[in-house]
PDB file of all heavy atoms in Angstrom:
ATOM      1  N   GLU A 224      -5.036  64.055 -53.419  1.00 38.00           N
ATOM      2  CA  GLU A 224      -3.931  64.628 -52.667  1.00 38.00           C
ATOM      3  C   GLU A 224      -4.350  65.911 -51.976  1.00 38.00           C
ATOM      4  O   GLU A 224      -5.173  66.664 -52.479  1.00 38.00           O
ATOM      5  CB  GLU A 224      -2.752  64.900 -53.596  1.00 38.00           C
ATOM      6  CG  GLU A 224      -2.161  63.631 -54.208  1.00 38.00           C
ATOM      7  CD  GLU A 224      -0.876  63.910 -54.944  1.00 38.00           C
ATOM      8  OE1 GLU A 224      -0.296  64.989 -54.707  1.00 38.00           O
ATOM      9  OE2 GLU A 224      -0.451  63.066 -55.723  1.00 38.00           O
ATOM     10  N   HIS A 225      -3.767  66.139 -50.814  1.00 39.00           N
ATOM     11  CA  HIS A 225      -4.007  67.385 -50.075  1.00 39.00           C
ATOM     12  C   HIS A 225      -3.613  68.573 -50.934  1.00 39.00           C
ATOM     13  O   HIS A 225      -2.569  68.606 -51.564  1.00 39.00           O
ATOM     14  CB  HIS A 225      -3.193  67.384 -48.783  1.00 39.00           C
ATOM     15  CG  HIS A 225      -3.182  68.707 -48.107  1.00 39.00           C
ATOM     16  ND1 HIS A 225      -4.302  69.268 -47.568  1.00 39.00           N
ATOM     17  CD2 HIS A 225      -2.169  69.589 -47.911  1.00 39.00           C
ATOM     18  CE1 HIS A 225      -3.987  70.444 -47.048  1.00 39.00           C
ATOM     19  NE2 HIS A 225      -2.713  70.654 -47.247  1.00 39.00           N
ATOM     20  N   GLY A 226      -4.508  69.581 -50.957  1.00 38.00           N
ATOM     21  CA  GLY A 226      -4.201  70.791 -51.685  1.00 38.00           C
ATOM     22  C   GLY A 226      -4.511  70.725 -53.153  1.00 38.00           C
ATOM     23  O   GLY A 226      -4.160  71.635 -53.891  1.00 38.00           O
ATOM     24  N   TYR A 227      -5.184  69.667 -53.622  1.00 37.00           N
ATOM     25  CA  TYR A 227      -5.518  69.554 -55.040  1.00 37.00           C
ATOM     26  C   TYR A 227      -6.379  70.717 -55.481  1.00 37.00           C
ATOM     27  O   TYR A 227      -7.359  71.061 -54.849  1.00 37.00           O
ATOM     28  CB  TYR A 227      -6.273  68.237 -55.278  1.00 37.00           C
ATOM     29  CG  TYR A 227      -6.899  68.141 -56.655  1.00 37.00           C
ATOM     30  CD1 TYR A 227      -6.139  67.799 -57.767  1.00 37.00           C
ATOM     31  CD2 TYR A 227      -8.251  68.426 -56.828  1.00 37.00           C
ATOM     32  CE1 TYR A 227      -6.733  67.724 -59.010  1.00 37.00           C
ATOM     33  CE2 TYR A 227      -8.845  68.346 -58.072  1.00 37.00           C
ATOM     34  CZ  TYR A 227      -8.081  67.995 -59.155  1.00 37.00           C
ATOM     35  OH  TYR A 227      -8.659  67.918 -60.393  1.00 37.00           O
ATOM     36  N   GLU A 228      -6.023  71.353 -56.580  1.00 41.00           N
ATOM     37  CA  GLU A 228      -6.779  72.489 -57.093  1.00 41.00           C
ATOM     38  C   GLU A 228      -6.968  72.329 -58.597  1.00 41.00           C
ATOM     39  O   GLU A 228      -6.022  72.108 -59.339  1.00 41.00           O
ATOM     40  CB  GLU A 228      -6.043  73.804 -56.824  1.00 41.00           C
ATOM     41  CG  GLU A 228      -5.825  74.076 -55.347  1.00 41.00           C
ATOM     42  CD  GLU A 228      -5.130  75.389 -55.110  1.00 41.00           C
ATOM     43  OE1 GLU A 228      -5.019  76.163 -56.077  1.00 41.00           O
ATOM     44  OE2 GLU A 228      -4.697  75.640 -53.994  1.00 41.00           O
ATOM     45  N   ASP A 229      -8.201  72.427 -59.039  1.00 42.00           N
ATOM     46  CA  ASP A 229      -8.521  72.321 -60.459  1.00 42.00           C
ATOM     47  C   ASP A 229      -8.583  73.722 -61.072  1.00 42.00           C
ATOM     48  O   ASP A 229      -9.614  74.195 -61.510  1.00 42.00           O
ATOM     49  CB  ASP A 229      -9.857  71.594 -60.615  1.00 42.00           C
ATOM     50  CG  ASP A 229     -10.190  71.337 -62.073  1.00 42.00           C
ATOM     51  OD1 ASP A 229      -9.266  71.345 -62.892  1.00 42.00           O
ATOM     52  OD2 ASP A 229     -11.390  71.144 -62.360  1.00 42.00           O
ATOM     53  N   ARG A 230      -7.443  74.435 -61.021  1.00 40.00           N
ATOM     54  CA  ARG A 230      -7.436  75.800 -61.544  1.00 40.00           C
ATOM     55  C   ARG A 230      -5.990  76.214 -61.823  1.00 40.00           C
ATOM     56  O   ARG A 230      -5.043  75.623 -61.323  1.00 40.00           O
ATOM     57  CB  ARG A 230      -8.059  76.771 -60.543  1.00 40.00           C
ATOM     58  CG  ARG A 230      -7.298  76.887 -59.221  1.00 40.00           C
ATOM     59  CD  ARG A 230      -8.001  77.838 -58.281  1.00 40.00           C
ATOM     60  NE  ARG A 230      -7.359  77.936 -57.008  1.00 40.00           N
ATOM     61  CZ  ARG A 230      -6.402  78.787 -56.703  1.00 40.00           C
ATOM     62  NH1 ARG A 230      -5.942  79.601 -57.627  1.00 40.00           N
ATOM     63  NH2 ARG A 230      -5.884  78.815 -55.501  1.00 40.00           N
ATOM     64  N   SER A 231      -5.853  77.231 -62.576  1.00 41.00           N
ATOM     65  CA  SER A 231      -4.527  77.785 -62.857  1.00 41.00           C
ATOM     66  C   SER A 231      -4.034  78.550 -61.650  1.00 41.00           C
ATOM     67  O   SER A 231      -4.798  79.203 -60.949  1.00 41.00           O
ATOM     68  CB  SER A 231      -4.603  78.727 -64.073  1.00 41.00           C
ATOM     69  OG  SER A 231      -3.425  79.480 -64.163  1.00 41.00           O
ATOM     70  N   LEU A 232      -2.729  78.446 -61.381  1.00 41.00           N
ATOM     71  CA  LEU A 232      -2.160  79.145 -60.225  1.00 41.00           C
ATOM     72  C   LEU A 232      -2.233  80.656 -60.394  1.00 41.00           C
ATOM     73  O   LEU A 232      -2.109  81.398 -59.420  1.00 41.00           O
ATOM     74  CB  LEU A 232      -0.711  78.713 -60.030  1.00 41.00           C
ATOM     75  CG  LEU A 232      -0.498  77.236 -59.650  1.00 41.00           C
ATOM     76  CD1 LEU A 232       0.993  76.934 -59.574  1.00 41.00           C
ATOM     77  CD2 LEU A 232      -1.175  76.916 -58.340  1.00 41.00           C
ATOM     78  N   ASN A 233      -2.433  81.128 -61.609  1.00 48.00           N
ATOM     79  CA  ASN A 233      -2.465  82.564 -61.842  1.00 48.00           C
ATOM     80  C   ASN A 233      -3.846  83.173 -61.637  1.00 48.00           C
ATOM     81  O   ASN A 233      -3.997  84.384 -61.701  1.00 48.00           O
ATOM     82  CB  ASN A 233      -1.995  82.866 -63.279  1.00 48.00           C
ATOM     83  CG  ASN A 233      -0.543  82.453 -63.483  1.00 48.00           C
ATOM     84  OD1 ASN A 233       0.274  82.617 -62.585  1.00 48.00           O
ATOM     85  ND2 ASN A 233      -0.238  81.917 -64.663  1.00 48.00           N
ATOM     86  N   GLU A 234      -4.846  82.310 -61.398  1.00 51.00           N
ATOM     87  CA  GLU A 234      -6.209  82.817 -61.230  1.00 51.00           C
ATOM     88  C   GLU A 234      -6.482  83.044 -59.759  1.00 51.00           C
ATOM     89  O   GLU A 234      -6.504  82.105 -58.972  1.00 51.00           O
ATOM     90  CB  GLU A 234      -7.219  81.824 -61.806  1.00 51.00           C
ATOM     91  CG  GLU A 234      -7.078  81.618 -63.296  1.00 51.00           C
ATOM     92  CD  GLU A 234      -8.069  80.582 -63.810  1.00 51.00           C
ATOM     93  OE1 GLU A 234      -8.928  80.148 -63.013  1.00 51.00           O
ATOM     94  OE2 GLU A 234      -7.981  80.223 -64.985  1.00 51.00           O
ATOM     95  N   PRO A 235      -6.694  84.289 -59.338  1.00 59.00           N
ATOM     96  CA  PRO A 235      -6.906  84.595 -57.917  1.00 59.00           C
ATOM     97  C   PRO A 235      -8.340  84.268 -57.483  1.00 59.00           C
ATOM     98  O   PRO A 235      -9.135  85.163 -57.178  1.00 59.00           O
ATOM     99  CB  PRO A 235      -6.625  86.093 -57.852  1.00 59.00           C
ATOM    100  CG  PRO A 235      -7.022  86.595 -59.202  1.00 59.00           C
ATOM    101  CD  PRO A 235      -6.704  85.502 -60.171  1.00 59.00           C
ATOM    102  N   LEU A 236      -8.684  82.976 -57.443  1.00 77.00           N
ATOM    103  CA  LEU A 236     -10.029  82.574 -57.051  1.00 77.00           C
ATOM    104  C   LEU A 236     -10.133  82.529 -55.526  1.00 77.00           C
ATOM    105  O   LEU A 236      -9.144  82.262 -54.832  1.00 77.00           O
ATOM    106  CB  LEU A 236     -10.364  81.199 -57.630  1.00 77.00           C
ATOM    107  CG  LEU A 236     -10.463  81.115 -59.152  1.00 77.00           C
ATOM    108  CD1 LEU A 236     -10.773  79.683 -59.554  1.00 77.00           C
ATOM    109  CD2 LEU A 236     -11.536  82.051 -59.680  1.00 77.00           C
ATOM    110  N   PRO A 237     -11.324  82.749 -54.966  1.00 87.00           N
ATOM    111  CA  PRO A 237     -11.506  82.635 -53.515  1.00 87.00           C
ATOM    112  C   PRO A 237     -11.380  81.184 -53.074  1.00 87.00           C
ATOM    113  O   PRO A 237     -11.559  80.257 -53.871  1.00 87.00           O
ATOM    114  CB  PRO A 237     -12.926  83.166 -53.304  1.00 87.00           C
ATOM    115  CG  PRO A 237     -13.618  82.947 -54.614  1.00 87.00           C
ATOM    116  CD  PRO A 237     -12.564  83.141 -55.661  1.00 87.00           C
ATOM    117  N   MET A 238     -11.067  80.987 -51.794  1.00 90.00           N
ATOM    118  CA  MET A 238     -10.999  79.632 -51.269  1.00 90.00           C
ATOM    119  C   MET A 238     -12.367  78.959 -51.339  1.00 90.00           C
ATOM    120  O   MET A 238     -12.487  77.776 -51.679  1.00 90.00           O
ATOM    121  CB  MET A 238     -10.498  79.656 -49.821  1.00 90.00           C
ATOM    122  CG  MET A 238     -10.558  78.311 -49.115  1.00 90.00           C
ATOM    123  SD  MET A 238      -9.569  77.036 -49.903  1.00 90.00           S
ATOM    124  CE  MET A 238      -7.930  77.611 -49.512  1.00 90.00           C
ATOM    125  N   VAL A 239     -13.425  79.718 -51.000  1.00 92.00           N
ATOM    126  CA  VAL A 239     -14.795  79.198 -51.052  1.00 92.00           C
ATOM    127  C   VAL A 239     -15.631  80.108 -51.933  1.00 92.00           C
ATOM    128  O   VAL A 239     -15.600  81.333 -51.771  1.00 92.00           O
ATOM    129  CB  VAL A 239     -15.427  79.125 -49.638  1.00 92.00           C
ATOM    130  CG1 VAL A 239     -16.891  78.711 -49.724  1.00 92.00           C
ATOM    131  CG2 VAL A 239     -14.650  78.163 -48.756  1.00 92.00           C
ATOM    132  N   ASN A 240     -16.348  79.500 -52.849  1.00 93.00           N
ATOM    133  CA  ASN A 240     -17.244  80.262 -53.719  1.00 93.00           C
ATOM    134  C   ASN A 240     -18.581  79.518 -53.807  1.00 93.00           C
ATOM    135  O   ASN A 240     -18.665  78.457 -54.427  1.00 93.00           O
ATOM    136  CB  ASN A 240     -16.645  80.436 -55.109  1.00 93.00           C
ATOM    137  CG  ASN A 240     -17.488  81.364 -55.979  1.00 93.00           C
ATOM    138  OD1 ASN A 240     -18.273  82.159 -55.462  1.00 93.00           O
ATOM    139  ND2 ASN A 240     -17.352  81.258 -57.286  1.00 93.00           N
ATOM    140  N   ILE A 241     -19.598  80.052 -53.140  1.00 93.00           N
ATOM    141  CA  ILE A 241     -20.935  79.451 -53.151  1.00 93.00           C
ATOM    142  C   ILE A 241     -21.848  80.342 -53.984  1.00 93.00           C
ATOM    143  O   ILE A 241     -21.943  81.546 -53.729  1.00 93.00           O
ATOM    144  CB  ILE A 241     -21.491  79.324 -51.715  1.00 93.00           C
ATOM    145  CG1 ILE A 241     -20.549  78.462 -50.860  1.00 93.00           C
ATOM    146  CG2 ILE A 241     -22.884  78.720 -51.723  1.00 93.00           C
ATOM    147  CD1 ILE A 241     -20.963  78.357 -49.405  1.00 93.00           C
ATOM    148  N   GLU A 242     -22.501  79.732 -54.965  1.00 93.00           N
ATOM    149  CA  GLU A 242     -23.342  80.507 -55.875  1.00 93.00           C
ATOM    150  C   GLU A 242     -24.745  79.914 -55.941  1.00 93.00           C
ATOM    151  O   GLU A 242     -24.927  78.754 -56.323  1.00 93.00           O
ATOM    152  CB  GLU A 242     -22.733  80.539 -57.282  1.00 93.00           C
ATOM    153  CG  GLU A 242     -21.417  81.296 -57.369  1.00 93.00           C
ATOM    154  CD  GLU A 242     -20.888  81.368 -58.794  1.00 93.00           C
ATOM    155  OE1 GLU A 242     -21.489  80.718 -59.679  1.00 93.00           O
ATOM    156  OE2 GLU A 242     -19.884  82.067 -59.020  1.00 93.00           O
ATOM    157  N   ASN A 243     -25.714  80.713 -55.529  1.00 93.00           N
ATOM    158  CA  ASN A 243     -27.141  80.424 -55.713  1.00 93.00           C
ATOM    159  C   ASN A 243     -27.545  79.036 -55.225  1.00 93.00           C
ATOM    160  O   ASN A 243     -28.272  78.306 -55.897  1.00 93.00           O
ATOM    161  CB  ASN A 243     -27.521  80.567 -57.196  1.00 93.00           C
ATOM    162  CG  ASN A 243     -27.100  81.901 -57.775  1.00 93.00           C
ATOM    163  OD1 ASN A 243     -26.300  81.959 -58.709  1.00 93.00           O
ATOM    164  ND2 ASN A 243     -27.614  82.987 -57.214  1.00 93.00           N
ATOM    165  N   VAL A 244     -27.085  78.683 -54.037  1.00 93.00           N
ATOM    166  CA  VAL A 244     -27.412  77.370 -53.485  1.00 93.00           C
ATOM    167  C   VAL A 244     -28.784  77.401 -52.815  1.00 93.00           C
ATOM    168  O   VAL A 244     -29.053  78.256 -51.958  1.00 93.00           O
ATOM    169  CB  VAL A 244     -26.345  76.905 -52.480  1.00 93.00           C
ATOM    170  CG1 VAL A 244     -26.840  75.712 -51.671  1.00 93.00           C
ATOM    171  CG2 VAL A 244     -25.071  76.545 -53.210  1.00 93.00           C
ATOM    172  N   THR A 245     -29.629  76.483 -53.228  1.00 94.00           N
ATOM    173  CA  THR A 245     -30.922  76.254 -52.577  1.00 94.00           C
ATOM    174  C   THR A 245     -30.995  74.787 -52.216  1.00 94.00           C
ATOM    175  O   THR A 245     -30.689  73.924 -53.048  1.00 94.00           O
ATOM    176  CB  THR A 245     -32.089  76.621 -53.508  1.00 94.00           C
ATOM    177  OG1 THR A 245     -32.040  78.025 -53.790  1.00 94.00           O
ATOM    178  CG2 THR A 245     -33.422  76.304 -52.851  1.00 94.00           C
ATOM    179  N   PHE A 246     -31.371  74.503 -50.980  1.00 94.00           N
ATOM    180  CA  PHE A 246     -31.510  73.106 -50.557  1.00 94.00           C
ATOM    181  C   PHE A 246     -32.744  72.966 -49.676  1.00 94.00           C
ATOM    182  O   PHE A 246     -32.945  73.733 -48.737  1.00 94.00           O
ATOM    183  CB  PHE A 246     -30.287  72.622 -49.785  1.00 94.00           C
ATOM    184  CG  PHE A 246     -30.409  71.189 -49.342  1.00 94.00           C
ATOM    185  CD1 PHE A 246     -30.265  70.153 -50.255  1.00 94.00           C
ATOM    186  CD2 PHE A 246     -30.702  70.872 -48.027  1.00 94.00           C
ATOM    187  CE1 PHE A 246     -30.399  68.831 -49.858  1.00 94.00           C
ATOM    188  CE2 PHE A 246     -30.825  69.553 -47.615  1.00 94.00           C
ATOM    189  CZ  PHE A 246     -30.675  68.529 -48.534  1.00 94.00           C
ATOM    190  N   GLN A 247     -33.550  71.963 -49.996  1.00 91.00           N
ATOM    191  CA  GLN A 247     -34.755  71.674 -49.209  1.00 91.00           C
ATOM    192  C   GLN A 247     -34.739  70.210 -48.808  1.00 91.00           C
ATOM    193  O   GLN A 247     -34.647  69.316 -49.652  1.00 91.00           O
ATOM    194  CB  GLN A 247     -36.024  71.968 -50.024  1.00 91.00           C
ATOM    195  CG  GLN A 247     -37.326  71.755 -49.242  1.00 91.00           C
ATOM    196  CD  GLN A 247     -38.535  72.274 -49.982  1.00 91.00           C
ATOM    197  OE1 GLN A 247     -38.417  73.162 -50.820  1.00 91.00           O
ATOM    198  NE2 GLN A 247     -39.702  71.742 -49.669  1.00 91.00           N
TER     199      GLN A 247
END
Side-chain angles (χ1 to χ4, degrees):
E224 296 189 17
H225 169 66
Y227 169 80
E228 299 181 11
D229 185 21
R230 63 181 177 89
S231 167
L232 295 177
N233 296 322
E234 297 178 7
L236 294 179
M238 173 60 71
V239 175
N240 187 21
I241 301 176
E242 294 183 353
N243 307 119
V244 167
T245 296
F246 180 75
Q247 183 170 335

